[in-house]
């Protein structure tokens, strides 16, 4: 968070333009400062309200919605301790902890800024401020808060959905949009689906969702975890056996395929099957027929098969360890789940989702995360993906003492972050050039690479965006 005191670049930094209809409350007791900030932000397209005292700020917050607050820390005319501002921060957090507050501090009073961040400020600006840096900071906070609030809304919608039997599935990020669309499209069909992705990315949850959204939803979803089955058990587990088929077969046993008749069978960890098991499974998938172990009677089953693996099955096929004809039976449709580090927009809503769940379970009154905790969550690489996030939040819920989870409760620094690719650099540590590049990439991702749409969102002409794409080598 070093402060760049160089002159503002002559090139206009469009990266700082206001997100659509963003409303910012600006507060300072010096009229000239207030006016300068109002003009600066208004010029970028923000809707601005102003306040000149702590009471004025609270009054504005009670009656209106804002995307961010930009406020000075010092109000009492004859003191510069920032006390009033610090107390105010806590009051604002109590009203709405998702509202980002950026504080302004006198140049050199770094302690005040640090204390403010500890008390819940999302960022700080030193006076005299650098226009471009201020704009980039405000924009960044507005965007982050919007993602967070969207997540909250989605979470309550999901809670409603869950009551209708659908598992809560949080997928807000652009990366997940095509995945969700594909799931919706293929769920009602009887197509076999192979779900792939790293550990903990939600493969089983996707299988549950597809079953719940299918015409088979009223019939059972039966799971077989191939990872846990020895060669001998596999056959009788899947196809059942008759009494006396082998020494331990004291009674008839119905296999998973028959249990799933009319419904869905979920084969988890399929890459671990031996050649003999693969051959047996293939036959049932091809014919819809099976025999219980020890019986010669052929039974017909009507089963939709969903399967999951975190292995690269094509590589397994190439290496001769997995039958290609079986792969083709299983992956009529393939759904690939991206790792959490490639869908960071989902981190805040997922974190909230798990926070609510665990807070309820452990009977703790927790409203959310403070700014430091949210930043730590966003910075972490999540090599264990959503399951790791779930566990980190559970631990934090147990450790948290106040109303909000703090970064220290998450204990994320040790290990984790180094185990996967590093998270994105913090915006405060980037040059304006780098910020622009990131904002352009985000806009393109948001509109699936559509340059016209991205240009409009960035407030640029198409040709201006193309020029910048060229300049950034994008
Ligand atoms: N999009 C999501 N929204 C909410 N919770 C999720 C989401 N994805 C995964 N989870 C939760 O994260 C945990 C891990 O998910 P799941 O067991 O489905 O992962 P997996 O890919 O099957 O992992 P593994 O490869 O280790 O078996 C579960 O508790 C699941 O409910
Ligand atoms: Mg799994």
């Amino acid at each position: 968070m070093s402060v760049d005191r160089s002159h503002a670049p002559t090139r206009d930094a469009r990266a700082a333009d206001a997100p659509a209809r963003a409303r910012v409350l600006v507060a300072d007791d010096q009229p000239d400062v207030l006016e300068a900030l109002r003009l600066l932000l208004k010029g970028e397209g923000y809707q601005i309200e102003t306040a000149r005292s702590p009471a004025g700020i609270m009054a504005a917050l009670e009656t209106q919605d804002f995307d961010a607050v930009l406020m000075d820390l010092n109000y009492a005319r004859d003191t510069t301790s920032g006390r009033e501002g610090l107390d105010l921060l806590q009051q604002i957090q109590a009203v709405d902890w998702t509202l980002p507050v950026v504080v302004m501090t006198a140049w050199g009073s770094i302690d005040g800024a640090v204390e403010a961040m500890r008390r819940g400020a999302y960022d700080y600006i030193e006076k005299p401020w650098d226009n471009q840096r201020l704009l980039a900071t405000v924009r960044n906070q507005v965007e982050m808060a919007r993602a967070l609030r969207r997540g909250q809304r989605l979470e309550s919608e999901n809670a409603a959905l869950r009551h209708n039997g659908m598992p809560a599935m949080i997928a807000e990020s652009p990366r997940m949009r095509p995945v969700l669309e594909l799931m919706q499209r293929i769920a009602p069909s009887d197509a076999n689906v192979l779900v792939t992705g790293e550990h903990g990315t939600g493969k089983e949850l996707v299988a549950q969702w597809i079953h719940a959204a299918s015409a088979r939803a009223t019939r059972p979803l039966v799971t077989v975890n191939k990872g846990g089955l020895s060669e001998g058990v596999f056959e009788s587990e899947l196809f059942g056996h008759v009494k006396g088929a082998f020494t331990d077969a004291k009674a008839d046993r119905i296999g998973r395929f028959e249990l799933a008749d009319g419904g869905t069978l979920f084969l988890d960890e399929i890459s671990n099957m031996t050649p003999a098991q693969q051959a047996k499974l293939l036959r049932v998938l091809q014919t819809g027929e099976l025999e219980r172990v020890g019986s010669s009677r052929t039974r017909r089953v009507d089963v939709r098969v969903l399967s999951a693996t975190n292995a690269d099955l094509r590589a397994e096929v190439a290496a001769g360890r997995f039958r290609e004809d079986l792969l083709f039976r299983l992956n009529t449709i393939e759904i690939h789940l991206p790792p959490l580090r490639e869908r960071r927009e989902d981190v805040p809503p997922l974190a909230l989702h798990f926070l609510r769940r665990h807070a309820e379970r452990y009977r703790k009154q927790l409203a959310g995360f403070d700014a430091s905790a949210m930043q730590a969550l966003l910075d972490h690489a999540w090599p264990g993906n959503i399951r790791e996030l779930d566990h980190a939040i559970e631990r934090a819920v147990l450790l948290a003492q106040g109303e909000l989870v703090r970064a220290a409760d998450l204990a994320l620094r040790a290990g984790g972050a180094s185990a996967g690719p590093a998270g994105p650099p913090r915006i405060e540590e980037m040059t304006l050039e780098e910020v622009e590049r990131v904002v352009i990439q985000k806009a393109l991702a948001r509109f699936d690479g559509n340059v016209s749409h991205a240009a409009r969102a960035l407030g640029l002409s198409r040709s201006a965006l193309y020029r910048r794409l060229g300049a950034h080598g994008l």
Side-chain angles (χ1 to χ4, degrees), residues 35-340:
E35 186 56 13
L37 288 170
R38 197 179 68 79
L39 288 176
L40 173 66
L41 289 161
K42 198 162 170 272
E44 298 295 317
Y46 288 94
Q47 294 174 31
I48 301 300
E49 289 291 324
T50 57
R52 296 182 53 179
S53 66
I57 294 177
M58 294 314 292
L61 292 182
E62 260 156 42
T63 50
Q64 299 167 60
D65 278 334
F66 292 99
D67 289 282
V69 177
L70 177 61
M71 64 170 224
D72 191 53
L73 270 189
N74 307 306
Y75 289 90
R77 206 159 287 163
D78 48 1
T79 149
T80 50
S81 72
R83 251 317 90 211
E84 283 222 89
L86 290 177
D87 293 342
L88 192 57
L89 271 173
Q90 273 164 336
Q91 288 176 39
I92 296 175
Q93 272 217 328
V95 173
D96 179 2
W97 69 274
T98 65
L99 176 66
V101 180
V102 177
V103 298
M104 293 178 285
T105 59
W107 158 236
S109 70
I110 195 85
D111 290 351
V114 170
E115 180 62 16
M117 299 283 287
R118 264 191 4 97
R119 301 281 193 103
Y122 278 66
D123 212 334
Y124 73 91
I125 304 274
E126 280 180 300
K127 283 178 176 176
W129 64 84
D130 173 278
N131 279 351
Q132 297 305 327
R133 185 168 290 274
L134 185 144
L135 291 171
T137 302
V138 169
R139 183 183 174 110
N140 189 29
Q141 293 301 342
V142 167
E143 284 190 334
M144 263 184 42
R146 285 190 168 179
L148 187 64
R149 290 168 168 183
R150 257 202 318 275
Q152 275 191 314
R153 211 173 38 243
L154 194 82
E155 162 63 13
S156 23
E157 285 166 16
N158 267 327
L161 272 182
R162 199 158 48 232
H163 291 303
N164 298 330
M166 300 289 292
M169 166 114 203
I170 289 160
E172 267 280 280
S173 57
R175 279 284 300 226
M176 284 300 284
R177 206 165 296 152
V179 177
L180 281 182
E181 274 167 19
L182 183 60
M183 282 167 59
Q184 269 153 2
R185 216 165 48 222
I186 54 93
S189 77
D190 259 349
N192 289 347
V193 181
L194 173 66
V195 191
T196 61
E198 292 179 9
H199 273 304
T201 45
K203 297 184 292 296
E204 182 156 7
L205 189 72
V206 164
Q208 290 164 351
W209 192 98
I210 290 175
H211 172 72
S214 77
R216 296 170 179 262
T218 56
R219 308 286 302 161
L221 168 68
V222 177
T223 297
V224 183
N225 188 329
K226 187 44 217 78
L229 295 181
S230 69
E231 182 82 61
V233 181
F234 174 83
E235 215 180 332
S236 98
E237 185 76 21
L238 248 63
F239 311 126
H241 60 243
V242 293
K243 188 177 169 188
F246 44 89
T247 327
D248 287 338
K250 306 267 192 267
D252 284 9
R253 184 198 161 116
I254 300 180
R256 301 287 165 125
F257 258 103
E258 279 183 76
L259 284 175
D261 197 16
T264 308
L265 186 69
F266 176 50
L267 299 172
D268 208 354
E269 315 278 355
I270 47 162
S271 67
N272 302 321
M273 271 186 279
T274 64
Q277 293 170 345
Q278 292 180 32
K280 284 171 189 150
L281 178 60
L282 179 63
R283 182 186 156 234
V284 186
L285 294 180
Q286 279 170 338
T287 62
E289 290 177 357
L290 57 85
E291 289 91 32
R292 292 183 185 174
V293 178
S295 161
S296 55
R297 190 176 136 210
T298 300
R299 295 161 199 266
R300 285 207 60 82
V301 284
D302 163 27
V303 169
R304 179 194 202 176
V305 176
L306 307 178
S307 48
T309 182
N310 45 46
D312 178 353
L313 281 190
R314 281 185 193 79
E316 293 294 295
V317 167
R321 284 190 294 267
F322 201 88
R323 293 179 68 128
E324 188 169 37
D325 45 6
L326 178 57
L327 176 60
F328 289 157
R329 280 280 161 188
L330 294 172
N331 77 345
T332 311
I333 303 290
E334 183 168 335
I335 292 182
H336 178 71
L337 294 177
L340 189 52

Side-chain angles (χ1 to χ4, degrees), residues 12-35:
D12 68 336
R14 282 285 165 179
D17 276 2
R21 291 183 302 284
R23 285 171 56 78
V24 177
L25 176 63
V26 183
D28 199 302
D29 56 0
Q30 287 175 272
D32 51 335
V33 169
L34 213 50
E35 186 56 13

Side-chain angles (χ1 to χ4, degrees), residues 398-447:
L398 285 168
L399 293 177
Q401 285 178 322
E403 276 250 294
L404 300 175
V405 168
R406 304 213 230 164
D409 303 327
L410 289 162
L412 285 178
R413 295 279 163 233
S418 58
R426 288 175 55 96
I427 201 158
E428 293 87 339
E429 290 157 10
M430 295 175 159
T431 63
L432 198 54
E433 201 81 42
E434 288 167 332
V435 172
E436 184 181 84
R437 185 186 161 92
V438 168
V439 171
I440 289 175
Q441 281 174 323
K442 273 168 78 174
L444 282 170
R446 192 163 62 204
F447 296 103

Side-chain angles (χ1 to χ4, degrees), residues 368-433:
F369 301 88
D370 76 5
S372 68
M374 191 45 79
Q375 191 66 53
L377 290 170
L378 288 169
D379 287 347
H380 191 65
W382 302 114
N385 295 298
I386 298 176
R387 182 176 297 108
E388 183 190 359
L389 177 63
D390 186 3
H391 291 166
I393 304 286
E394 179 171 8
R395 200 169 50 226
V397 164
L398 285 168
L399 293 177
Q401 285 178 322
E403 276 250 294
L404 300 175
V405 168
R406 304 213 230 164
D409 303 327
L410 289 162
L412 285 178
R413 295 279 163 233
S418 58
R426 288 175 55 96
I427 201 158
E428 293 87 339
E429 290 157 10
M430 295 175 159
T431 63
L432 198 54
E433 201 81 42

